[in-house]
Amino acid sequence: MKVPFSWLKEYVDIDITAQELEKRLFSCGFEVEELIDMAGGMDKVVVGIVTEAVPQEGTHLHICKVDCGEYGHDIQISTGASNVYVGMHTPAALDGSTLPGGIKIKGRKLQGVQSNGMLCSGVELGLNDDLYPGSEVNGLLDLPQDTVAGTPIQDVVGLNDYIFDIDVTANRPDCQSVLGMAREVAALLNKPLKMPAIDYTCTAEPDDSISVRVEAPDLCPRYLAHFVRNIRIGESPRWMKRHLALMGLRSINNVVDITNHTLLEIGQPMHAFDLNHVDDRSICVRRAKPGETIVTLDEKEFKLNENNLVICDTHKPVALAGIMGGLHSGIQDDTTELLFECATFARDSVRKTSRALGQNSDSSFRYEKGVDQYSTELGLKRALHLIQELDCGDITPTSFDCSNGASLERKTVTATPARINSVLGIEVPEETMKDILARLDFEVADNNGIWTVSVPRYRDDVEDFPDLAEEIIREYGYEHIEPTFLKHATVTNGGLNLAQKQEMKMKRLLAGQGFYEASTMAFYSVADLDKMHVPADSPARQTIRIMNPISEHLSIMRTMMAPSMLNIIVENLKKGNAEGRLFELSKVYIPHSLPLTEQPDERAVLCLGMYGSEEDFFTMKGVLEAMAAAFNLTFTYERDQVCYLHPGMTASVSCNGQKIGVFGKLANEINAELEIAKDQKSNQNIYLAELDYKLLSSMFQRDYHCKPISPFAPVKRDLALVCDEAVSCGEIEQVIHKASALVKEIKLFDIYRGANLGEGKKSMAFSLMLADESKELAAEQVERAMDKILKDLKFKLNIELR
């Protein structure tokens, strides 16, 4: 937010320098990103009076004698300007001077004649006609005859000014104006605030043919309009032109300048409709109809939908609400009747429309942060006052106030000095608190120590006593805060706790397996769930919607990690990364009920993604086995069905009898729908795993116990088993382990299918390691154990020895 120092002084008697004010603003929470010197480092440029101007023969130059007061009364300067004349008062940049932008001026010869400086135009001083009249003339800047020779030029043309570029935080939309910052400066310096004049008189006849209505009160809680007759388009006064120019705007005409001036001064965007171009003299604020179009003031055409709020006449949109007016309904050179509007629009509505259409403006910038209803009233009154002050129209009593029932009274906050001090952690005297709040336009009613604080209508950000504490401390001074420990804080040795160490161990393990860590947003869209073919009745569809999403692509809190991981893999494939391994350890958000009545369950989830020609089901399973071994766990696997995974290459993962996740190959139909090249689809293997890390981490062993390696050699036996196709490897391993305590290790090393086995049969070959840690195994023990294993396999799973 840019604020001119000179404009601030019109509202507050500022008795400190701009540099000092910059420091004071920072101390109360307003960071000045840049203090812009309007003089631009200009030095030794003064008023010069031309006492002699002689044409130099054979050139376009004039050799001038210039009176520059204390700098010299007879300085010789050559100029090529055609408008120079004897007696002219004009800027003179002397030998050794500096112009805006750091340009140095040195005395030198021009066409063989010594010139000890340069006579300047307004443009060379960084001026335009709005900042100083006559600055854009093709020649020297002609100054008034009463200017004194030797006076620094910045004092004459108004460049002895500063522009504060202030970073206004999102919670202070009331400071998006010169008046808003003037309120803060007045409170900071304990000076009275001079409010801009808002009085006016209705001098013209009303018009009952005009109508104004709001059909979308949820998006437009307040809409004010006022009819003005006999518009007289003309030039704006110099003071208004200068105000606009200091803020980077050029003057257009008096009526347009009034709307722009009100925006900058009050922070209230406003628009003026030419009623000659508004059908039936009727204004309606409503949602756009699908397919409606509008051409805005910058001559861009937009196709609208029901998510866009528009201002319409009886047939067509005439403005994009909160963003920009229509091309044909604005102020024209022949405009005679205007309907001025000031409104309060829902900030999310303006933001969504602005971003969806790619159309931004000063108005949309302010509406997106928030415009309060007090500013809406003040802005319209100020504009009508300026219409009368500049005599550019006749004000009628025809006005409209469409309100959605919002209270026009100040809201109140109940607090006590003790509660405020408890937030600050220091003791601020009660009278000091009251004085600070009064300077900030809060009204305090003290009823035996219980304060009822009336909040200014433009302070929508103040809700409760902690907000009052914030207001008090930023004026009282943050340097008064004493650093202390939190009430229950203790000094620790620092370092990572056990959970953090285990998490770091997991990440290092995965990095060692060739994985890179990914980090994605905590939200995605319903389309991402559709892409994963998640059924409509799935719990994963019970999502938390974002009230004001950045875009529809980030509109719901995620309930599963796989869509985020798949999006990353697709982006990598698009960029030519044909293989890779990625993992993300983050949270999903599971609501207990919808709509939300309590905080959702934020569960940590570990998601793995592997893709490339070398990856398969067993490389993913190998990673899980490495994970289990690192944390001294045992994983078991069972065939499973997951909507986004291949039905024949999907398994659930269990530990200690509890299911902790699933893994498998991406379903063929989903792979076919990915937005990647055809050759990538046909050659691509994408494998995903999603594990409940919160549950898994609860199974990590906190204590490790070591024991010596057995001195007795183990016995190895191989089994080739014939079983039904439906029997899983996990089921077989489970039966073998239960059959004999001597079995220490089981490895599947071969699977065979053939006609000789019979229909629906397969052969699975296992390598068994048997051992007894206390003694060497006898052959009889091994045989008994193997017999027991084969009998249990036959009895429980109908498995035969091949």
Side-chain angles (χ1 to χ4, degrees):
M1 175 67 198
K2 288 183 169 58
V3 181
F5 192 37
S6 58
W7 201 347
L8 280 176
K9 288 181 176 180
E10 295 179 22
Y11 306 116
V12 185
D13 291 327
I14 301 175
D15 54 5
I16 59 177
T17 65
Q19 290 75 13
E20 179 62 24
L21 181 59
E22 176 186 10
K23 296 177 183 177
R24 298 286 294 274
L25 285 170
F26 181 79
S27 70
C28 70
F30 292 94
E31 180 182 357
V32 179
E33 294 185 339
E34 184 179 7
L35 183 62
I36 304 168
D37 184 356
M38 287 293 294
M42 187 161 54
D43 180 51
K44 209 176 176 183
V45 183
V46 300
V47 175
I49 302 174
V50 180
T51 58
E52 182 181 314
V54 179
Q56 184 177 345
E57 187 175 351
T59 72
H60 69 290
L61 302 174
H62 283 78
I63 303 172
C64 303
K65 300 291 185 180
V66 185
D67 179 6
C68 294
E70 62 180 276
Y71 293 93
H73 299 284
D74 199 22
I75 300 174
Q76 180 170 293
I77 300 177
S78 293
T79 180
S82 59
N83 66 333
V84 67
Y85 62 90
V86 175
M88 184 182 200
H89 292 226
T90 192
L94 304 178
D95 183 20
S97 62
T98 304
L99 291 178
I103 300 173
K104 300 289 185 180
I105 302 299
K106 297 289 184 181
R108 62 189 181 93
K109 287 186 177 182
L110 294 177
Q111 297 291 336
V113 177
Q114 180 68 25
S115 177
N116 297 308
M118 182 179 79
L119 301 182
C120 302
S121 68
V123 174
E124 288 166 330
L125 299 180
L127 298 170
N128 58 41
D129 284 344
D130 290 345
L131 283 171
Y132 193 84
S135 294
E136 296 181 46
V137 70
N138 185 20
L140 302 180
L141 179 60
D142 198 350
L143 299 172
Q145 293 294 306
D146 59 356
T147 52
V148 179
T151 304
I153 197 65
Q154 50 263 47
D155 296 341
V156 175
V157 298
L159 289 177
N160 56 346
D161 200 355
Y162 292 89
I163 306 293
F164 292 88
D165 189 353
I166 302 173
D167 181 16
V168 179
T169 53
N171 68 317
R172 293 302 306 273
D174 59 295
C175 292
Q176 298 180 106
S177 64
V178 179
L179 178 61
M181 288 309 307
R183 292 192 194 106
E184 292 297 321
V185 172
L188 182 64
L189 302 180
N190 199 11
K191 301 276 189 178
L193 177 67
K194 304 170 189 175
M195 286 291 291
I198 57 173
D199 59 300
Y200 62 89
T201 305
C202 296
T203 59
E205 293 297 317
D207 188 336
D208 295 334
S209 68
I210 303 171
S211 67
V212 175
R213 70 185 189 279
V214 176
E215 293 183 356
D218 55 326
L219 303 183
C220 179
R222 193 86 187 275
Y223 191 89
L224 305 180
H226 206 112
F227 176 50
V228 180
R229 292 183 183 273
N230 305 323
I231 296 298
R232 297 176 284 279
I233 302 294
E235 189 176 348
S236 296
R238 180 181 173 184
W239 64 266
M240 181 173 284
K241 287 183 178 181
R242 178 173 172 79
H243 280 173
L244 296 175
L246 288 173
M247 302 288 274
L249 297 181
R250 294 303 301 264
S251 172
I252 299 174
N253 60 54
N254 48 9
V255 180
V256 174
D257 289 352
I258 284 173
T259 62
N260 289 332
H261 192 273
T262 303
L263 171 68
L264 299 173
E265 182 183 37
I266 308 298
Q268 173 61 52
M270 65 182 306
H271 187 64
F273 294 107
D274 185 341
L275 287 179
N276 292 327
H277 298 281
V278 175
D279 294 348
D280 300 326
R281 302 168 77 80
S282 174
I283 290 292
C284 176
V285 184
R286 61 170 172 80
R287 287 175 168 83
K289 298 174 183 177
E292 275 189 315
T293 60
I294 185 173
V295 179
T296 50
L297 286 171
D298 55 0
E299 301 184 4
K300 295 179 182 177
E301 184 174 1
F302 298 99
K303 187 174 181 180
L304 308 175
N305 57 51
E306 61 275 8
N307 295 320
N308 308 133
L309 186 68
V310 290
I311 302 168
C312 307
D313 57 21
T314 54
H315 297 103
K316 63 185 182 301
V318 292
L320 276 174
I323 299 174
M324 191 174 290
L327 178 62
H328 303 296
S329 63
I331 300 167
Q332 312 289 334
D333 291 339
D334 59 351
T335 297
T336 58
E337 295 181 324
L338 285 179
L339 186 69
F340 281 94
E341 68 147 28
C342 280
T344 304
F345 297 117
R347 65 183 72 181
D348 60 325
S349 172
V350 175
R351 181 175 63 251
K352 289 176 182 178
T353 297
S354 175
R355 294 186 180 181
L357 300 180
Q359 183 75 337
N360 301 304
S361 65
D362 288 342
S363 295
S364 66
F365 172 78
R366 284 168 171 78
Y367 275 121
E368 286 182 32
K369 284 195 171 182
V371 173
D372 58 84
Q373 297 192 29
Y374 172 79
S375 297
T376 301
E377 298 171 13
L378 186 66
L380 185 56
K381 291 177 181 177
R382 177 59 173 163
L384 293 174
H385 169 86
L386 292 174
I387 286 286
Q388 201 156 64
E389 180 182 331
L390 274 57
D391 192 29
C392 52
D394 298 327
I395 303 172
T396 75
T398 303
S399 63
F400 303 87
D401 185 349
C402 301
S403 172
N404 191 24
S407 174
L408 303 183
E409 303 296 324
R410 286 179 170 224
K411 62 183 174 184
T412 58
V413 172
T414 302
T416 64
R419 295 189 77 182
I420 293 174
N421 281 329
S422 69
V423 174
L424 301 178
I426 58 175
E427 293 294 323
V428 181
E430 289 188 23
E431 292 306 315
T432 302
M433 290 188 190
K434 290 180 179 179
D435 175 62
I436 290 173
L437 291 173
R439 280 157 39 195
L440 292 168
D441 198 23
F442 291 79
E443 297 173 0
V444 180
D446 187 351
N447 183 14
N448 295 324
I450 299 176
W451 293 0
T452 301
V453 182
S454 176
V455 181
R457 290 180 57 204
Y458 50 82
R459 291 301 303 274
D460 289 341
D461 60 304
V462 177
E463 297 289 344
D464 209 342
F465 72 92
D467 299 314
L468 298 179
E470 180 183 355
E471 294 301 300
I472 289 168
I473 194 60
R474 68 187 184 85
E475 297 291 335
Y476 186 61
Y478 293 107
E479 68 274 8
H480 290 93
I481 295 179
E482 300 172 1
T484 59
F485 273 118
L486 295 173
K487 185 176 181 180
H488 300 291
T490 58
V491 178
T492 68
N493 292 327
L496 301 178
N497 59 33
L498 179 60
Q500 291 169 329
K501 290 178 180 178
Q502 290 173 334
E503 181 177 320
M504 187 59 64
K505 179 181 177 180
M506 176 67 76
K507 290 183 177 181
R508 286 174 176 162
L509 166 72
L510 291 171
Q513 293 285 327
F515 283 79
Y516 288 90
E517 184 172 8
S519 180
T520 61
M521 302 288 276
F523 19 76
Y524 42 56
S525 70
V526 174
D528 288 308
L529 295 176
D530 296 338
K531 181 170 62 178
M532 304 298 285
H533 293 191
V534 178
D537 58 350
S538 170
R541 291 278 187 179
Q542 303 302 307
T543 58
I544 304 167
R545 289 200 63 84
I546 308 299
M547 291 181 63
N548 298 311
I550 298 173
S551 72
E552 187 58 33
H553 297 297
L554 301 169
S555 59
I556 59 174
M557 302 298 292
R558 65 185 174 198
T559 53
M560 51 191 291
M561 294 280 290
S564 299
M565 180 59 69
L566 183 58
N567 286 338
I568 300 175
I569 292 174
V570 169
E571 286 302 313
N572 274 277
L573 288 171
K574 287 180 179 179
K575 295 174 181 176
N577 299 322
E579 59 183 30
R581 293 185 173 189
L582 300 165
F583 80 90
E584 181 174 10
L585 177 54
S586 191
K587 291 182 178 179
V588 296
Y589 303 85
I590 312 298
H592 298 288
S593 61
L594 289 175
L596 283 179
T597 57
E598 57 182 313
Q599 292 293 329
D601 181 13
E602 300 185 23
R603 296 191 69 84
V605 170
L606 175 62
C607 189
L608 309 179
M610 301 166 53
Y611 64 100
S613 59
E614 299 299 319
E615 304 294 359
D616 60 25
F617 182 87
F618 295 102
T619 57
M620 176 66 85
K621 182 173 180 287
V623 172
L624 298 177
E625 287 296 309
M627 188 185 303
F631 289 92
N632 200 24
L633 300 174
T634 300
F635 288 171
T636 58
Y637 310 92
E638 292 185 13
R639 188 188 302 271
D640 206 344
Q641 296 288 327
V642 179
C643 59
Y644 58 88
L645 296 178
H646 191 293
M649 298 185 188
T650 301
S652 64
V653 186
S654 298
C655 184
N656 295 342
Q658 298 185 68
K659 182 177 177 179
I660 61 171
V662 295
F663 75 99
K665 184 180 181 180
L666 185 68
N668 291 341
E669 58 269 24
I670 298 178
N671 188 72
E673 295 168 0
L674 297 180
E675 296 179 356
I676 55 178
K678 290 184 178 180
D679 61 329
Q680 290 178 317
K681 292 179 183 179
S682 59
N683 299 325
Q684 194 49 248
N685 295 315
I686 298 177
Y687 292 86
L688 300 172
E690 191 163 331
L691 306 179
D692 185 339
Y693 184 78
K694 182 178 181 181
L695 179 58
L696 175 62
S697 61
S698 68
M699 301 175 183
F700 293 163
Q701 293 188 17
R702 296 180 179 273
D703 299 314
Y704 289 91
H705 301 280
C706 299
K707 57 183 180 181
I709 297 174
S710 173
F712 305 107
V715 176
K716 181 181 177 183
R717 290 287 187 270
D718 291 341
L719 290 177
L721 306 174
V722 178
C723 62
D724 293 336
E725 188 68 49
V727 176
S728 68
C729 174
E731 290 176 310
I732 296 175
E733 289 183 356
Q734 188 175 15
V735 171
I736 293 174
H737 271 299
K738 288 184 177 180
S740 175
L742 297 178
V743 178
K744 303 303 180 183
E745 186 179 294
I746 306 172
K747 287 185 179 180
L748 174 69
F749 66 86
D750 183 50
I751 299 177
Y752 170 74
R753 293 176 177 86
N756 59 320
L757 296 178
E759 186 177 353
K761 295 290 185 177
K762 63 182 177 181
S763 172
M764 303 177 74
F766 293 87
S767 176
L768 278 58
M769 198 71 70
L770 293 82
D772 187 338
E773 296 174 358
S774 62
K775 60 182 179 179
E776 188 171 350
L777 284 178
E780 296 80 6
Q781 287 181 281
V782 175
E783 293 306 321
R784 284 197 300 271
M786 296 303 296
D787 288 342
K788 179 71 166 54
I789 290 171
L790 292 173
K791 288 178 181 178
D792 285 3
L793 288 172
K794 173 63 177 175
F795 178 74
K796 295 181 178 180
L797 299 176
N798 194 28
I799 292 176
E800 300 284 352
L801 187 65
R802 184 178 173 187

